[in-house]
Amino acid sequence: MKRGGSSVCSRDKGRGRESGWVLLLLLLLCLSLVGLQLLLSSNQILPIPLPLPFSFHQRRTSNNTSCHLGAFGDKMVSMLPPDLPFTLFLPSPSSFQKILRLDPATSLAPDTATLNNTLAILSRVLAFSAVPQLLPARGLPVRMPISVDAVSGLKLLAWRDLDGTVVVNGIRSECANIRKGELIVHVIAGVLMDPEFEQSFFPDYEEDT
C-alpha cells in the first residue's frame, strides 16, 4: 500500500511540474507577442497627408518645454469664453514676432490705430487656430492625422507624435495641454492661416522681366 501511495504521489508531482512548465511557456509566449506588437507600433510609418486645401507658415524650432504664452497669447486666450470647451493652437511668442511681425513693446500700445490693427490680426489668427472641442494630447491618435474644423471653417489635421508632441498641419508644439478654465492650449512653433491671410504677410513677388 505504501508503494502504491508513493507512485501516485510521484505521478501527481510530475503532472504538477509539467503544468507549471506549460503555464510558464504560455506566459513567455504572451509576453513575446506583446513586445512584438509594441515594436511594430513604434515603427509604424507616418501616413503622408494629402495636399492641404490651405497653407501655413512654420519656423524651425528646438525642443522648448517653456509654457510662456506671451502678451499676444494671453490676449488671444482672453478672447475665448473660459467656460466653453475650446482647443487653441496658439502661436509661440517668437512666432507672433517673426511671422506676424507683432512687437509686444509697440503693437499693444494704447495708440488707437496701432491697437486696432493688432486686435484685428489676433482675431483673424484666433479664428484659424481655435477648435470648438477639447483635443488633449493624449486624446490624439499617434501618427494618424484626424481632421477638425477651426472656428473659421479652416480644415486642420492634428495628431500626436511618439514623444507626445502635438502636431497640427505639420507644425509641432512647443508646449501642450495648458489649461485655462475649460480651454486647452497647445503652443505651436508657427501660425495657422489660410492662403488669403498668408498673402498679406508673405506676398508673392513677381519675377524680374
PDB file of all heavy atoms in Angstrom, residues 157-186:
ATOM      1  N   LEU A 157      -5.409  69.280 -39.718  1.00  0.00           N
ATOM      2  CA  LEU A 157      -5.034  67.884 -39.485  1.00  0.00           C
ATOM      3  C   LEU A 157      -4.150  67.828 -38.245  1.00  0.00           C
ATOM      4  O   LEU A 157      -3.072  68.429 -38.215  1.00  0.00           O
ATOM      5  CB  LEU A 157      -4.287  67.310 -40.696  1.00  0.00           C
ATOM      6  CG  LEU A 157      -5.088  67.156 -41.987  1.00  0.00           C
ATOM      7  CD1 LEU A 157      -4.215  66.575 -43.093  1.00  0.00           C
ATOM      8  CD2 LEU A 157      -6.308  66.273 -41.766  1.00  0.00           C
ATOM      9  N   ALA A 158      -4.602  67.125 -37.226  1.00  0.00           N
ATOM     10  CA  ALA A 158      -3.887  67.078 -35.954  1.00  0.00           C
ATOM     11  C   ALA A 158      -3.574  65.633 -35.587  1.00  0.00           C
ATOM     12  O   ALA A 158      -4.356  64.726 -35.861  1.00  0.00           O
ATOM     13  CB  ALA A 158      -4.712  67.741 -34.855  1.00  0.00           C
ATOM     14  N   TRP A 159      -2.430  65.433 -34.970  1.00  0.00           N
ATOM     15  CA  TRP A 159      -2.056  64.111 -34.480  1.00  0.00           C
ATOM     16  C   TRP A 159      -1.029  64.283 -33.358  1.00  0.00           C
ATOM     17  O   TRP A 159      -0.630  65.399 -33.021  1.00  0.00           O
ATOM     18  CB  TRP A 159      -1.514  63.206 -35.587  1.00  0.00           C
ATOM     19  CG  TRP A 159      -0.196  63.607 -36.197  1.00  0.00           C
ATOM     20  CD1 TRP A 159       1.053  63.228 -35.803  1.00  0.00           C
ATOM     21  CD2 TRP A 159      -0.003  64.445 -37.345  1.00  0.00           C
ATOM     22  NE1 TRP A 159       2.004  63.779 -36.620  1.00  0.00           N
ATOM     23  CE2 TRP A 159       1.387  64.530 -37.579  1.00  0.00           C
ATOM     24  CE3 TRP A 159      -0.868  65.124 -38.198  1.00  0.00           C
ATOM     25  CZ2 TRP A 159       1.936  65.265 -38.627  1.00  0.00           C
ATOM     26  CZ3 TRP A 159      -0.336  65.873 -39.235  1.00  0.00           C
ATOM     27  CH2 TRP A 159       1.052  65.941 -39.456  1.00  0.00           C
ATOM     28  N   ARG A 160      -0.607  63.158 -32.787  1.00  0.00           N
ATOM     29  CA  ARG A 160       0.384  63.157 -31.713  1.00  0.00           C
ATOM     30  C   ARG A 160       1.575  62.319 -32.141  1.00  0.00           C
ATOM     31  O   ARG A 160       1.421  61.212 -32.650  1.00  0.00           O
ATOM     32  CB  ARG A 160      -0.239  62.599 -30.425  1.00  0.00           C
ATOM     33  CG  ARG A 160       0.742  62.463 -29.258  1.00  0.00           C
ATOM     34  CD  ARG A 160      -0.028  62.226 -27.949  1.00  0.00           C
ATOM     35  NE  ARG A 160      -1.017  61.162 -28.084  1.00  0.00           N
ATOM     36  CZ  ARG A 160      -0.800  59.893 -27.739  1.00  0.00           C
ATOM     37  NH1 ARG A 160       0.385  59.526 -27.258  1.00  0.00           N
ATOM     38  NH2 ARG A 160      -1.762  58.996 -27.861  1.00  0.00           N
ATOM     39  N   ASP A 161       2.772  62.854 -31.935  1.00  0.00           N
ATOM     40  CA  ASP A 161       3.984  62.120 -32.284  1.00  0.00           C
ATOM     41  C   ASP A 161       4.343  61.139 -31.168  1.00  0.00           C
ATOM     42  O   ASP A 161       3.742  61.158 -30.085  1.00  0.00           O
ATOM     43  CB  ASP A 161       5.137  63.096 -32.529  1.00  0.00           C
ATOM     44  CG  ASP A 161       6.104  62.578 -33.583  1.00  0.00           C
ATOM     45  OD1 ASP A 161       6.084  61.361 -33.849  1.00  0.00           O
ATOM     46  OD2 ASP A 161       6.879  63.374 -34.142  1.00  0.00           O
ATOM     47  N   LEU A 162       5.323  60.287 -31.431  1.00  0.00           N
ATOM     48  CA  LEU A 162       5.694  59.257 -30.469  1.00  0.00           C
ATOM     49  C   LEU A 162       6.201  59.842 -29.148  1.00  0.00           C
ATOM     50  O   LEU A 162       6.052  59.227 -28.092  1.00  0.00           O
ATOM     51  CB  LEU A 162       6.770  58.343 -31.071  1.00  0.00           C
ATOM     52  CG  LEU A 162       6.312  57.440 -32.222  1.00  0.00           C
ATOM     53  CD1 LEU A 162       7.502  56.716 -32.813  1.00  0.00           C
ATOM     54  CD2 LEU A 162       5.276  56.442 -31.735  1.00  0.00           C
ATOM     55  N   ASP A 163       6.807  61.031 -29.202  1.00  0.00           N
ATOM     56  CA  ASP A 163       7.313  61.655 -27.982  1.00  0.00           C
ATOM     57  C   ASP A 163       6.263  62.479 -27.259  1.00  0.00           C
ATOM     58  O   ASP A 163       6.570  63.170 -26.289  1.00  0.00           O
ATOM     59  CB  ASP A 163       8.532  62.524 -28.298  1.00  0.00           C
ATOM     60  CG  ASP A 163       8.213  63.650 -29.280  1.00  0.00           C
ATOM     61  OD1 ASP A 163       7.048  63.733 -29.737  1.00  0.00           O
ATOM     62  OD2 ASP A 163       9.118  64.432 -29.604  1.00  0.00           O
ATOM     63  N   GLY A 164       5.000  62.428 -27.736  1.00  0.00           N
ATOM     64  CA  GLY A 164       3.924  63.158 -27.089  1.00  0.00           C
ATOM     65  C   GLY A 164       3.689  64.544 -27.647  1.00  0.00           C
ATOM     66  O   GLY A 164       2.756  65.234 -27.223  1.00  0.00           O
ATOM     67  N   THR A 165       4.518  64.971 -28.594  1.00  0.00           N
ATOM     68  CA  THR A 165       4.363  66.297 -29.186  1.00  0.00           C
ATOM     69  C   THR A 165       3.103  66.363 -30.039  1.00  0.00           C
ATOM     70  O   THR A 165       2.828  65.459 -30.834  1.00  0.00           O
ATOM     71  CB  THR A 165       5.581  66.636 -30.071  1.00  0.00           C
ATOM     72  OG1 THR A 165       6.758  66.585 -29.274  1.00  0.00           O
ATOM     73  CG2 THR A 165       5.442  68.029 -30.677  1.00  0.00           C
ATOM     74  N   VAL A 166       2.330  67.418 -29.862  1.00  0.00           N
ATOM     75  CA  VAL A 166       1.150  67.637 -30.694  1.00  0.00           C
ATOM     76  C   VAL A 166       1.594  68.266 -32.016  1.00  0.00           C
ATOM     77  O   VAL A 166       2.424  69.185 -32.027  1.00  0.00           O
ATOM     78  CB  VAL A 166       0.144  68.560 -29.985  1.00  0.00           C
ATOM     79  CG1 VAL A 166      -1.014  68.926 -30.911  1.00  0.00           C
ATOM     80  CG2 VAL A 166      -0.378  67.885 -28.722  1.00  0.00           C
ATOM     81  N   VAL A 167       1.049  67.773 -33.119  1.00  0.00           N
ATOM     82  CA  VAL A 167       1.385  68.285 -34.441  1.00  0.00           C
ATOM     83  C   VAL A 167       0.086  68.664 -35.144  1.00  0.00           C
ATOM     84  O   VAL A 167      -0.857  67.872 -35.182  1.00  0.00           O
ATOM     85  CB  VAL A 167       2.153  67.241 -35.278  1.00  0.00           C
ATOM     86  CG1 VAL A 167       2.589  67.838 -36.617  1.00  0.00           C
ATOM     87  CG2 VAL A 167       3.362  66.708 -34.523  1.00  0.00           C
ATOM     88  N   VAL A 168       0.036  69.875 -35.700  1.00  0.00           N
ATOM     89  CA  VAL A 168      -1.140  70.320 -36.443  1.00  0.00           C
ATOM     90  C   VAL A 168      -0.668  70.909 -37.767  1.00  0.00           C
ATOM     91  O   VAL A 168       0.166  71.816 -37.795  1.00  0.00           O
ATOM     92  CB  VAL A 168      -1.981  71.343 -35.638  1.00  0.00           C
ATOM     93  CG1 VAL A 168      -1.152  72.543 -35.219  1.00  0.00           C
ATOM     94  CG2 VAL A 168      -3.204  71.777 -36.424  1.00  0.00           C
ATOM     95  N   ASN A 169      -1.151  70.336 -38.857  1.00  0.00           N
ATOM     96  CA  ASN A 169      -0.744  70.743 -40.202  1.00  0.00           C
ATOM     97  C   ASN A 169       0.776  70.775 -40.354  1.00  0.00           C
ATOM     98  O   ASN A 169       1.342  71.657 -41.006  1.00  0.00           O
ATOM     99  CB  ASN A 169      -1.327  72.113 -40.545  1.00  0.00           C
ATOM    100  CG  ASN A 169      -2.819  72.051 -40.763  1.00  0.00           C
ATOM    101  OD1 ASN A 169      -3.436  71.015 -40.549  1.00  0.00           O
ATOM    102  ND2 ASN A 169      -3.413  73.134 -41.195  1.00  0.00           N
ATOM    103  N   GLY A 170       1.434  69.830 -39.713  1.00  0.00           N
ATOM    104  CA  GLY A 170       2.886  69.732 -39.814  1.00  0.00           C
ATOM    105  C   GLY A 170       3.643  70.622 -38.860  1.00  0.00           C
ATOM    106  O   GLY A 170       4.867  70.533 -38.778  1.00  0.00           O
ATOM    107  N   ILE A 171       2.964  71.484 -38.117  1.00  0.00           N
ATOM    108  CA  ILE A 171       3.623  72.373 -37.160  1.00  0.00           C
ATOM    109  C   ILE A 171       3.638  71.703 -35.788  1.00  0.00           C
ATOM    110  O   ILE A 171       2.592  71.334 -35.262  1.00  0.00           O
ATOM    111  CB  ILE A 171       2.912  73.733 -37.068  1.00  0.00           C
ATOM    112  CG1 ILE A 171       2.762  74.373 -38.444  1.00  0.00           C
ATOM    113  CG2 ILE A 171       3.671  74.663 -36.137  1.00  0.00           C
ATOM    114  CD1 ILE A 171       2.012  75.693 -38.426  1.00  0.00           C
ATOM    115  N   ARG A 172       4.810  71.566 -35.219  1.00  0.00           N
ATOM    116  CA  ARG A 172       4.954  70.880 -33.942  1.00  0.00           C
ATOM    117  C   ARG A 172       4.709  71.838 -32.772  1.00  0.00           C
ATOM    118  O   ARG A 172       4.943  73.043 -32.877  1.00  0.00           O
ATOM    119  CB  ARG A 172       6.356  70.271 -33.818  1.00  0.00           C
ATOM    120  CG  ARG A 172       6.636  69.203 -34.874  1.00  0.00           C
ATOM    121  CD  ARG A 172       8.071  68.716 -34.781  1.00  0.00           C
ATOM    122  NE  ARG A 172       8.339  68.062 -33.513  1.00  0.00           N
ATOM    123  CZ  ARG A 172       8.061  66.788 -33.253  1.00  0.00           C
ATOM    124  NH1 ARG A 172       7.513  66.029 -34.179  1.00  0.00           N
ATOM    125  NH2 ARG A 172       8.352  66.261 -32.079  1.00  0.00           N
ATOM    126  N   SER A 173       4.245  71.272 -31.683  1.00  0.00           N
ATOM    127  CA  SER A 173       4.003  72.072 -30.495  1.00  0.00           C
ATOM    128  C   SER A 173       5.291  72.258 -29.699  1.00  0.00           C
ATOM    129  O   SER A 173       6.174  71.400 -29.693  1.00  0.00           O
ATOM    130  CB  SER A 173       2.945  71.409 -29.612  1.00  0.00           C
ATOM    131  OG  SER A 173       3.427  70.174 -29.094  1.00  0.00           O
ATOM    132  N   GLU A 174       5.392  73.410 -29.060  1.00  0.00           N
ATOM    133  CA  GLU A 174       6.489  73.660 -28.132  1.00  0.00           C
ATOM    134  C   GLU A 174       6.065  73.310 -26.705  1.00  0.00           C
ATOM    135  O   GLU A 174       6.896  72.975 -25.864  1.00  0.00           O
ATOM    136  CB  GLU A 174       6.918  75.125 -28.195  1.00  0.00           C
ATOM    137  CG  GLU A 174       7.553  75.518 -29.525  1.00  0.00           C
ATOM    138  CD  GLU A 174       8.079  76.939 -29.509  1.00  0.00           C
ATOM    139  OE1 GLU A 174       7.850  77.644 -28.501  1.00  0.00           O
ATOM    140  OE2 GLU A 174       8.696  77.352 -30.494  1.00  0.00           O
ATOM    141  N   CYS A 175       4.784  73.419 -26.444  1.00  0.00           N
ATOM    142  CA  CYS A 175       4.229  73.079 -25.135  1.00  0.00           C
ATOM    143  C   CYS A 175       2.767  72.707 -25.333  1.00  0.00           C
ATOM    144  O   CYS A 175       2.072  73.339 -26.135  1.00  0.00           O
ATOM    145  CB  CYS A 175       4.358  74.260 -24.176  1.00  0.00           C
ATOM    146  SG  CYS A 175       3.941  73.873 -22.469  1.00  0.00           S
ATOM    147  N   ALA A 176       2.300  71.677 -24.641  1.00  0.00           N
ATOM    148  CA  ALA A 176       0.940  71.184 -24.874  1.00  0.00           C
ATOM    149  C   ALA A 176       0.170  71.068 -23.564  1.00  0.00           C
ATOM    150  O   ALA A 176       0.744  71.061 -22.476  1.00  0.00           O
ATOM    151  CB  ALA A 176       0.986  69.820 -25.571  1.00  0.00           C
ATOM    152  N   ASN A 177      -1.150  71.020 -23.709  1.00  0.00           N
ATOM    153  CA  ASN A 177      -2.063  70.747 -22.586  1.00  0.00           C
ATOM    154  C   ASN A 177      -2.020  71.815 -21.488  1.00  0.00           C
ATOM    155  O   ASN A 177      -2.078  71.496 -20.298  1.00  0.00           O
ATOM    156  CB  ASN A 177      -1.770  69.375 -21.968  1.00  0.00           C
ATOM    157  CG  ASN A 177      -2.114  68.240 -22.895  1.00  0.00           C
ATOM    158  OD1 ASN A 177      -3.024  68.333 -23.712  1.00  0.00           O
ATOM    159  ND2 ASN A 177      -1.371  67.158 -22.792  1.00  0.00           N
ATOM    160  N   ILE A 178      -1.937  73.075 -21.881  1.00  0.00           N
ATOM    161  CA  ILE A 178      -2.047  74.159 -20.909  1.00  0.00           C
ATOM    162  C   ILE A 178      -3.533  74.407 -20.680  1.00  0.00           C
ATOM    163  O   ILE A 178      -4.276  74.663 -21.626  1.00  0.00           O
ATOM    164  CB  ILE A 178      -1.367  75.434 -21.427  1.00  0.00           C
ATOM    165  CG1 ILE A 178       0.084  75.146 -21.808  1.00  0.00           C
ATOM    166  CG2 ILE A 178      -1.444  76.538 -20.391  1.00  0.00           C
ATOM    167  CD1 ILE A 178       0.779  76.301 -22.496  1.00  0.00           C
ATOM    168  N   ARG A 179      -3.979  74.339 -19.445  1.00  0.00           N
ATOM    169  CA  ARG A 179      -5.394  74.515 -19.144  1.00  0.00           C
ATOM    170  C   ARG A 179      -5.659  75.953 -18.700  1.00  0.00           C
ATOM    171  O   ARG A 179      -4.981  76.491 -17.828  1.00  0.00           O
ATOM    172  CB  ARG A 179      -5.839  73.552 -18.045  1.00  0.00           C
ATOM    173  CG  ARG A 179      -5.783  72.088 -18.447  1.00  0.00           C
ATOM    174  CD  ARG A 179      -6.569  71.780 -19.714  1.00  0.00           C
ATOM    175  NE  ARG A 179      -7.988  72.043 -19.596  1.00  0.00           N
ATOM    176  CZ  ARG A 179      -8.907  71.102 -19.455  1.00  0.00           C
ATOM    177  NH1 ARG A 179      -8.559  69.825 -19.424  1.00  0.00           N
ATOM    178  NH2 ARG A 179     -10.186  71.426 -19.368  1.00  0.00           N
ATOM    179  N   LYS A 180      -6.646  76.558 -19.336  1.00  0.00           N
ATOM    180  CA  LYS A 180      -7.135  77.888 -18.986  1.00  0.00           C
ATOM    181  C   LYS A 180      -8.649  77.775 -18.831  1.00  0.00           C
ATOM    182  O   LYS A 180      -9.394  77.959 -19.789  1.00  0.00           O
ATOM    183  CB  LYS A 180      -6.777  78.908 -20.073  1.00  0.00           C
ATOM    184  CG  LYS A 180      -5.293  79.129 -20.281  1.00  0.00           C
ATOM    185  CD  LYS A 180      -4.681  79.890 -19.107  1.00  0.00           C
ATOM    186  CE  LYS A 180      -3.222  80.206 -19.351  1.00  0.00           C
ATOM    187  NZ  LYS A 180      -2.622  80.980 -18.235  1.00  0.00           N
ATOM    188  N   GLY A 181      -9.109  77.445 -17.635  1.00  0.00           N
ATOM    189  CA  GLY A 181     -10.515  77.143 -17.449  1.00  0.00           C
ATOM    190  C   GLY A 181     -10.860  75.866 -18.196  1.00  0.00           C
ATOM    191  O   GLY A 181     -10.209  74.833 -18.027  1.00  0.00           O
ATOM    192  N   GLU A 182     -11.875  75.922 -19.059  1.00  0.00           N
ATOM    193  CA  GLU A 182     -12.228  74.770 -19.886  1.00  0.00           C
ATOM    194  C   GLU A 182     -11.377  74.694 -21.149  1.00  0.00           C
ATOM    195  O   GLU A 182     -11.456  73.728 -21.905  1.00  0.00           O
ATOM    196  CB  GLU A 182     -13.709  74.853 -20.284  1.00  0.00           C
ATOM    197  CG  GLU A 182     -14.677  74.647 -19.141  1.00  0.00           C
ATOM    198  CD  GLU A 182     -14.569  73.242 -18.570  1.00  0.00           C
ATOM    199  OE1 GLU A 182     -14.454  72.281 -19.348  1.00  0.00           O
ATOM    200  OE2 GLU A 182     -14.593  73.119 -17.329  1.00  0.00           O
ATOM    201  N   LEU A 183     -10.567  75.699 -21.380  1.00  0.00           N
ATOM    202  CA  LEU A 183      -9.779  75.807 -22.608  1.00  0.00           C
ATOM    203  C   LEU A 183      -8.493  74.980 -22.521  1.00  0.00           C
ATOM    204  O   LEU A 183      -7.831  74.953 -21.485  1.00  0.00           O
ATOM    205  CB  LEU A 183      -9.444  77.278 -22.864  1.00  0.00           C
ATOM    206  CG  LEU A 183      -8.645  77.629 -24.121  1.00  0.00           C
ATOM    207  CD1 LEU A 183      -9.479  77.381 -25.365  1.00  0.00           C
ATOM    208  CD2 LEU A 183      -8.208  79.092 -24.060  1.00  0.00           C
ATOM    209  N   ILE A 184      -8.149  74.298 -23.624  1.00  0.00           N
ATOM    210  CA  ILE A 184      -6.870  73.600 -23.752  1.00  0.00           C
ATOM    211  C   ILE A 184      -6.026  74.368 -24.768  1.00  0.00           C
ATOM    212  O   ILE A 184      -6.480  74.638 -25.882  1.00  0.00           O
ATOM    213  CB  ILE A 184      -7.039  72.150 -24.212  1.00  0.00           C
ATOM    214  CG1 ILE A 184      -7.756  71.327 -23.150  1.00  0.00           C
ATOM    215  CG2 ILE A 184      -5.681  71.518 -24.531  1.00  0.00           C
ATOM    216  CD1 ILE A 184      -7.988  69.877 -23.547  1.00  0.00           C
ATOM    217  N   VAL A 185      -4.804  74.714 -24.367  1.00  0.00           N
ATOM    218  CA  VAL A 185      -3.912  75.480 -25.235  1.00  0.00           C
ATOM    219  C   VAL A 185      -2.697  74.636 -25.587  1.00  0.00           C
ATOM    220  O   VAL A 185      -2.037  74.082 -24.702  1.00  0.00           O
ATOM    221  CB  VAL A 185      -3.460  76.785 -24.555  1.00  0.00           C
ATOM    222  CG1 VAL A 185      -2.525  77.579 -25.479  1.00  0.00           C
ATOM    223  CG2 VAL A 185      -4.664  77.640 -24.176  1.00  0.00           C
ATOM    224  N   HIS A 186      -2.415  74.527 -26.891  1.00  0.00           N
ATOM    225  CA  HIS A 186      -1.179  73.932 -27.377  1.00  0.00           C
ATOM    226  C   HIS A 186      -0.373  75.050 -28.038  1.00  0.00           C
ATOM    227  O   HIS A 186      -0.821  75.640 -29.030  1.00  0.00           O
ATOM    228  CB  HIS A 186      -1.445  72.824 -28.402  1.00  0.00           C
ATOM    229  CG  HIS A 186      -2.314  71.714 -27.902  1.00  0.00           C
ATOM    230  ND1 HIS A 186      -2.043  71.011 -26.750  1.00  0.00           N
ATOM    231  CD2 HIS A 186      -3.469  71.182 -28.412  1.00  0.00           C
ATOM    232  CE1 HIS A 186      -2.982  70.083 -26.564  1.00  0.00           C
ATOM    233  NE2 HIS A 186      -3.855  70.181 -27.545  1.00  0.00           N
TER     234      HIS A 186
END
